[in-house]
């Protein structure tokens, strides 16, 4: 599989990939730059300078504190920021990962950590988040908490998110970067980035190497 290399500096300077309004539109904001080398190819982007794992403590779907660094230390980990009321991008992303994960040997499935951090904590309570994730894969971890804390953590990974806003029709939209960050079990650093166009086949091909902390 061909990979694309970009620097963390380039990602952070861009603030994030274009924010996605989970209704199919892209946010129009001058402060965010689209990085087209990885956003639509469905290929892994290998970061020359990996991201540090955020020092983040939120609430899991059982209502208990969950320390991201401690709970995922030494484990292959995928992190995604989204929300359960998203009609398209978020459920598709989680579904693609869930299907690809099932192709792994059982031991590798048990090792892989998939963490979904809500960008809409007011509506995504532990109970509602847990119910939504169980329909995707019961092993997925869902985290909710203070929006400012979540936003700050996302920015350290080059993921831009905005506070949910009510639309004229009464619906609530959460704008967020749609990338998935893969963290190595060897270094606990985020070294791979996947964009919105990543398919089940892409994840199926890459997950065996991600579990080992290798480049796809």
């Amino acid at each position: 599989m061909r990979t694309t290399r970009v620097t963390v500096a380039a990602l952070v300077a861009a603030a994030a990939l274009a924010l996605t309004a989970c209704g199919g539109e892209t946010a129009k904001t001058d402060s965010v730059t689209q990085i087209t080398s990885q956003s639509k190819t469905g290929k892994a982007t290998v970061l020359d300078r990996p991201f540090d794992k955020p020092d983040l403590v939120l609430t899991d779907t059982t209502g208990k504190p969950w320390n991201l660094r401690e709970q995922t230390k030494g484990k292959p980990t995928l992190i995604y920021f989204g929300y359960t009321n998203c009609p398209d991008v978020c459920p598709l992303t989680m579904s693609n990962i869930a299907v690809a994960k099932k192709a792994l040997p059982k031991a590798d499935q048990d090792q892989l950590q998939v963490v979904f951090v809500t960008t809409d904590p007011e509506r995504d309570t532990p109970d509602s988040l847990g119910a939504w994730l169980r329909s995707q894969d019961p092993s997925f971890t869902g985290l909710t908490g203070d929006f400012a804390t979540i936003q700050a953590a996302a920015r350290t990974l080059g993921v831009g998110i905005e506070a949910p806003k009510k639309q004229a029709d009464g619906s609530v939209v959460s704008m967020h970067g749609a990338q998935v960050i893969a963290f190595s079990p060897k270094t606990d650093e985020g070294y791979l980035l996947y964009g919105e166009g990543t398919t089940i086949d892409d994840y199926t091909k890459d997950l065996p190497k991600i579990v080992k902390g290798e480049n796809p």
Side-chain angles (χ1 to χ4, degrees):
M1 175 175 289
R2 182 179 64 81
T3 58
T4 302
R5 289 185 176 273
V6 298
T7 63
V8 169
L11 292 176
V12 174
L17 298 182
L19 300 182
T20 296
C22 285
E25 296 182 356
T26 300
K28 294 177 174 61
T29 170
D30 294 334
S31 63
V32 178
T33 301
Q34 180 77 30
I35 300 176
T36 57
S37 62
Q38 72 85 42
S39 62
K40 295 182 179 180
T41 61
K43 308 295 184 182
T45 296
V46 180
L47 303 177
D48 287 338
R49 295 176 58 194
F51 290 114
D52 290 330
K53 191 173 288 182
D55 185 9
L56 183 63
V57 179
L58 293 171
T59 302
D60 68 13
T61 54
T62 69
K64 297 179 180 179
W66 205 87
N67 187 307
L68 178 65
R69 285 186 177 176
E70 290 183 2
Q71 299 290 107
T72 62
K73 185 176 182 180
K75 298 178 181 179
T77 303
L78 302 180
I79 295 178
Y80 180 79
F81 293 82
Y83 69 118
T84 66
N85 285 281
C86 172
D88 40 38
V89 178
C90 300
L92 178 61
T93 298
M94 290 295 100
S95 176
N96 286 349
I97 293 172
V99 172
K101 181 188 166 194
K102 290 178 182 177
L104 290 170
K106 181 63 167 59
D108 289 347
Q109 290 186 45
D110 292 342
Q111 281 294 309
L112 182 66
Q113 304 291 297
V114 180
V115 181
F116 181 94
V117 184
T118 183
T119 59
D120 185 11
E122 185 173 336
R123 290 189 296 168
D124 285 344
T125 64
D127 285 346
S128 64
L129 182 55
W132 187 82
L133 284 175
R134 281 192 294 274
S135 70
Q136 301 285 349
D137 187 313
S139 74
F140 287 179
T141 296
L143 300 178
T144 187
D146 176 68
F147 177 81
T149 300
I150 292 170
Q151 184 181 51
R155 287 190 181 281
T156 68
L157 299 176
V159 179
I161 64 176
E162 295 180 359
K165 296 179 181 177
K166 191 174 231 183
Q167 307 300 297
D169 62 1
S171 63
V172 178
V173 173
S174 176
M175 307 279 245
H176 60 88
Q179 58 267 51
V180 173
I181 312 293
F183 288 79
S184 168
K186 296 178 179 178
T187 64
D188 282 320
E189 294 179 323
Y191 72 113
L192 295 175
L193 184 149
Y194 291 89
E196 183 179 329
T198 309
T199 66
I200 292 173
D201 287 343
D202 294 326
Y203 284 121
T204 300
K205 291 175 183 177
D206 288 7
L207 285 183
K209 292 188 176 181
I210 291 173
V211 168
K212 297 176 182 177
E214 299 173 353
N215 286 351

